Amino acid sequence: MHVTLRQLRVLLAVAETGSFSAAARTVGLSQPAVSQSIRAVEQALGVPLLRRSTRHVVLTPAGEQLVSPLRDALKALEDVLTQAQQAGERLHRVVRVAAAPSLSGRLLPRCLADVAQQFPGVAVQLKEQPQDAALESVRRGTVDFALAVGDCGPGELQRTSLLVDRFVLVCRSDHPFSRRKRVSIGHLGLERLIVLDAANGGRQGLDRVLAAHGVAVDALQEVASASTAFEMVKERLGVALLPASCVPTFSMKQLRSVGVEPDVLRDISLFSRRHEALSEDARAVHDTILARAQGGTRGVSRPLTLLVPFPKRGPVDSYGRAFAKLLGARVGKDVVVTNTVGLGGAQGVHAVTRSRADGYTLGIAGNGATVFTPANGRQPLFDVFQDLTFLSGLVRVASVLVVGAHVAARNFAQMRALARLHPGRFVIGAAGKGSSRMLAEMLERLSDIRLTHKSYDGLAPALDDLAKGKLDMVFGEPAGVLALVQAGKAFALVVTGDERCPLLAEVPSAVEVGLPDLATDGGYCLVAPPSLPAGVLERLSGAVAEVLQSDELNRIFASLGVKPDFRSGPYYENFIRSEQSRWQAFLARDGTPD
C-alpha cells in the first residue's frame, strides 16, 4: 500500500468542501489532478471512499471512518512540523563560541554582556575547551568561531588579532615581591613557580622566556585554572605566573599582582573558518567581542533594539519596522528590530522585562499580553504593572473577519447561517491570546453559533492555513488580510466596531450587520523595562511622541489601514487597568474561555 501525504490532504480537502472544484482551489491543483489523487487512494485501500453526483460529493461509510482520524493525524503532523520549524528558527539565533579556559574567565563574560545588551534576540552558547580542541571545533564547524591564544592556527582558519595579554606575578601580600612594582624573571629561579597548563594556551612563549633566564621549566607546578593557582599561593605553596586577563580587577584578599620584566606576552585572537562567511548574528557577536577587547564599547555607537513579539511579515512587524526606521532617524542611532515570537505575544514582552533599563531596549505589547492573559486568570510570565514601563500607545487597529475561499459564504449572513447549520464544523483561528481570540468568543455568543478554535503565534501563519483551506475563518488586521482578499483566496465579511475600514471600504461594520458589541479597543503600545531612569524615560518618550505625530508615520499607518495611538505612557497604563477590569467582569458573567 502506497499513499502519499499529498493524496491524503486532497482527500481531506474534498471531504471538507464537498466539492472537487473547491478542493482543487484549496490545495492548488487542477480538478483532474484531484480526481486522480482520490482514485489512487481508493485503489490503494481497495474500498470506495466517495460517492459522486453531478452536484455533490459525499463520503461513503468507509470514507467517514477514515476522514475523522485522518484529520487528527494530519493536524498532529502539522504541529510536529511547526515545532521543528520554530526550533530551527531559534537555532539560527544561537551563536556558538569556543574559548580556551583562561580566556572565558574574565574577558569573555564582559564581551557577552555587551552582546546581550546590543542583541537581545541572539543567544550565545559558550563552549569552554582546551586550546587545541577549541581550534578543532572551529575547523569542524561545530562552533562559529573561537577565542584562542597564539598568532597561528590550522591553515584553513582565519585569524583576527584581538589583544596582547601580559603575564604578571601573583604572590601573597606578605611576600617580599609584593613590595615591588616589577620583578625580574631571573629572580624567580629559587621560587616554587605555579603556572597554567598548556591547554590554556601561551605556554610555549612563557617557557622560552623562563628558560632563557635560567628558570627550570621542568619543575613548574601546572594547574588547569587560575582559581586553583590563587588558592595555592594563599597556602604558601609558591608564587604564580599568570596572564593578566586571569587576574580579577578587584582587590584580592591576601594576594597581590606584580609586573614582571622583561615583558612576557601572549597573543589572543579570534579564529573562524577562512572560506566560510560568518552568519549575520555570528558576525555581530564577533565584532562586539573585538570592540570590547580593543578598548571597550564606549566609543562604539550602540543601536537601540525594538522587540516585536510576532513573526516577520505580519502586520505588527510592519508597524514596528516603520516606527523603528523613523525613531532611528529621530535619535540619530540605528534601531534593530528583533522578532521574539512565542506564547501568543507574551514571550517578546517577557524579553523586554528582562532587559537592562537603560533606554536601549523597548518593545511592542498587544492586548493579549497586557489585558487578556491577566483577565483570564492565567499565570502570567510577568506582572504587567510591576515589570514594565509604559512609554506610549503605538497603533489603534480594527479587526476584519475573513473566511477562506473554500467556505461557501460571501457575506456575514451566509456565514452565520452555515455555522448554525453545522455547529462546531467551522474552525476559527486566534492570532495570539489577544483581541482576535476574544473577538472569536464574542462572535459565537453574539451570533448564537458554535465554532472550533485553533491558536496561532501570529496572523501570518493563520492566514497561510486559511489560504490552504486548513482554517475556515480568522479575525485579522486590515494590512494582514488585504493581500488574500485581493487575490480571491479569502473574503472579508465584517469590520469590528462602528466604522468601515478605508482599505476595505465595501465591507460593512459590525454595527451595520447588527452586532454593535463586536468590538475591542484593539491595538499595540510601546513598553520598556521597569525602573527606567527619569531622564531616559523623558528623552525616549519625547522622541516616540514626535515620531507618532510625524506626517510620514501617519501616511505609512494609513496605507496599512491603522492609526497612530497618541496616548501617553501613564494614560495607557490606566487604560490597561480599566480594560483588565472590564474583561474580568465580562468573563465572569459569560464564563471563561478555554
Side-chain angles (χ1 to χ4, degrees):
M1 182 188 302
H2 178 71
V3 178
T4 67
L5 182 60
R6 169 174 282 189
Q7 290 168 346
L8 293 176
R9 292 188 187 279
V10 170
L11 172 62
L12 187 59
V14 172
E16 291 184 339
T17 61
S19 164
F20 276 66
S21 59
R25 291 194 300 270
T26 299
V27 297
L29 295 175
S30 64
Q31 190 167 330
V34 169
S35 300
Q36 184 178 0
S37 291
I38 298 299
R39 284 196 299 270
V41 176
E42 290 179 326
Q43 290 173 1
L45 298 179
V47 293
L49 301 174
L50 302 171
R51 293 195 186 97
R52 305 163 180 81
S53 68
T54 55
R55 293 186 178 182
H56 302 290
V57 176
V58 296
L59 293 170
T60 65
E64 290 279 3
Q65 188 175 3
L66 173 62
V67 164
S68 180
L70 176 61
R71 182 183 293 109
D72 294 339
L74 289 178
K75 180 181 183 303
L77 176 60
E78 289 168 5
D79 290 343
V80 170
L81 294 176
T82 298
Q83 291 172 5
Q85 181 184 23
Q86 291 174 347
E89 291 175 350
R90 289 193 296 270
L91 186 64
H92 288 310
R93 301 291 288 174
V94 175
V95 176
R96 293 173 174 80
V97 180
S102 64
L103 302 179
S104 57
R106 194 184 94 192
L107 170 66
L108 201 50
R110 291 184 297 173
C111 297
L112 298 185
D114 291 339
V115 172
Q117 292 177 30
Q118 298 182 42
F119 309 101
V122 178
V124 179
Q125 188 178 81
L126 175 62
K127 194 172 186 178
E128 192 174 72
Q129 293 181 310
Q131 168 90 1
D132 292 341
L135 294 175
E136 181 64 13
S137 293
V138 180
R139 192 184 69 80
R140 291 179 177 273
T142 56
V143 299
D144 294 283
F145 61 88
L147 277 77
V149 178
D151 55 5
C152 62
E156 60 269 41
L157 298 187
Q158 174 71 41
R159 170 184 167 269
T160 302
S161 180
L162 194 64
L163 56 83
V164 175
D165 198 9
R166 284 177 168 78
F167 280 80
V168 296
L169 186 72
V170 177
C171 60
R172 282 178 58 92
S173 57
D174 56 4
H175 192 285
F177 287 160
S178 69
R179 296 189 292 270
R180 303 186 188 183
K181 290 184 177 180
R182 294 175 71 86
V183 175
S184 171
I185 295 291
H187 293 168
L188 302 179
L190 298 179
E191 298 290 332
R192 289 170 295 183
L193 200 56
I194 305 164
V195 297
L196 296 178
D197 61 21
N200 285 276
R203 273 295 302 280
Q204 291 182 351
L206 174 62
D207 287 354
R208 282 196 300 268
V209 175
L210 291 174
H213 288 80
V215 179
V217 296
D218 56 351
L220 301 178
Q221 183 76 272
E222 295 185 346
V223 296
S225 69
S227 60
T228 302
F230 296 148
E231 293 302 317
M232 292 178 69
V233 173
K234 287 180 183 179
E235 296 299 329
R236 303 180 187 275
L237 296 176
V239 296
L241 195 57
L242 302 172
S245 62
C246 297
V247 179
T249 54
F250 53 84
S251 176
M252 296 184 293
K253 188 176 181 180
Q254 298 180 312
L255 301 181
R256 297 288 186 272
S257 64
V258 182
V260 295
E261 56 183 9
D263 286 334
V264 183
L265 309 175
R266 66 174 190 167
D267 294 311
I268 300 176
S269 300
L270 292 170
F271 291 89
S272 57
R273 290 177 290 284
R274 184 179 297 276
H275 301 297
E276 183 176 337
L278 292 172
S279 69
E280 181 179 346
D281 289 334
R283 172 57 61 184
V285 175
H286 179 285
D287 292 349
T288 301
I289 293 175
L290 190 62
R292 160 63 76 173
Q294 295 183 344
T297 58
R298 293 183 180 180
V300 179
S301 179
R302 179 180 166 193
L304 275 67
T305 297
L306 176 66
L307 295 176
V308 176
F310 293 102
K312 293 180 180 178
R313 308 188 319 275
V316 185
D317 184 63
S318 298
Y319 311 149
R321 292 182 186 275
F323 169 78
K325 181 178 179 181
L326 296 178
L327 179 64
R330 167 63 183 77
V331 300
K333 291 180 177 290
D334 291 335
V335 180
V336 178
V337 176
T338 299
N339 298 81
T340 305
V341 182
L343 304 177
Q347 190 163 318
V349 182
H350 178 260
V352 175
T353 69
R354 296 300 186 266
S355 301
R356 180 173 293 186
D358 55 8
Y360 281 88
T361 302
L362 59 157
I364 296 177
N367 286 359
T370 59
V371 175
F372 297 123
T373 294
N376 275 307
R378 298 187 181 94
Q379 182 65 37
L381 291 173
F382 49 86
D383 186 300
V384 171
F385 304 113
Q386 296 295 323
D387 296 334
L388 289 171
T389 297
F390 286 89
L391 293 175
S392 169
L394 174 62
V395 59
R396 304 183 85 146
V397 54
S399 291
V400 183
L401 177 64
V402 293
V403 297
H406 61 281
V407 178
R410 297 297 176 262
N411 58 52
F412 183 76
Q414 292 175 353
M415 185 281 297
R416 180 165 49 188
L418 282 174
R420 287 176 175 174
L421 185 63
H422 303 285
R425 173 179 173 179
F426 295 100
V427 181
I428 186 167
K433 302 183 185 302
S435 298
S436 66
R437 180 179 179 86
M438 295 306 301
L439 286 168
E441 296 285 340
M442 294 173 67
L443 176 66
E444 287 184 295
R445 297 169 188 174
L446 296 173
S447 303
D448 191 24
I449 60 177
R450 181 163 60 85
L451 304 170
T452 299
H453 294 254
K454 185 175 182 180
S455 296
Y456 293 85
D457 264 337
L459 182 60
L463 292 176
D464 285 343
D465 276 4
L466 190 78
K468 296 173 183 176
K470 301 175 184 177
L471 183 69
D472 298 313
M473 63 187 80
V474 67
F475 279 100
E477 296 166 25
V481 306
L482 184 62
L484 280 187
V485 172
Q486 291 177 334
K489 295 182 179 180
F491 292 89
L493 305 185
V494 63
V495 178
T496 61
D498 57 2
E499 294 182 356
R500 293 194 177 196
C501 173
L503 293 183
L504 298 162
E506 74 285 357
V507 180
S509 69
V511 170
E512 292 176 85
V513 300
L515 298 177
D517 294 330
L518 185 63
T520 65
D521 191 350
Y524 302 90
C525 64
L526 292 167
V527 293
S531 304
L532 205 63
V536 173
L537 176 59
E538 182 179 358
R539 290 194 299 272
L540 193 54
S541 297
V544 167
E546 289 187 21
V547 172
L548 290 175
Q549 293 166 8
S550 67
D551 292 339
E552 185 171 359
L553 189 71
N554 277 262
R555 178 182 56 77
I556 294 172
F557 276 9
S559 71
L560 297 173
V562 297
K563 300 176 181 178
D565 190 336
F566 302 111
R567 287 176 284 189
S568 67
Y571 189 98
Y572 208 98
E573 181 176 341
N574 289 332
F575 160 72
I576 294 297
R577 292 183 187 276
S578 65
E579 284 293 281
Q580 284 189 10
S581 298
R582 183 166 77 94
W583 287 107
Q584 283 170 351
F586 173 84
L587 294 170
R589 183 178 67 251
D590 294 313
T592 302
D594 296 331

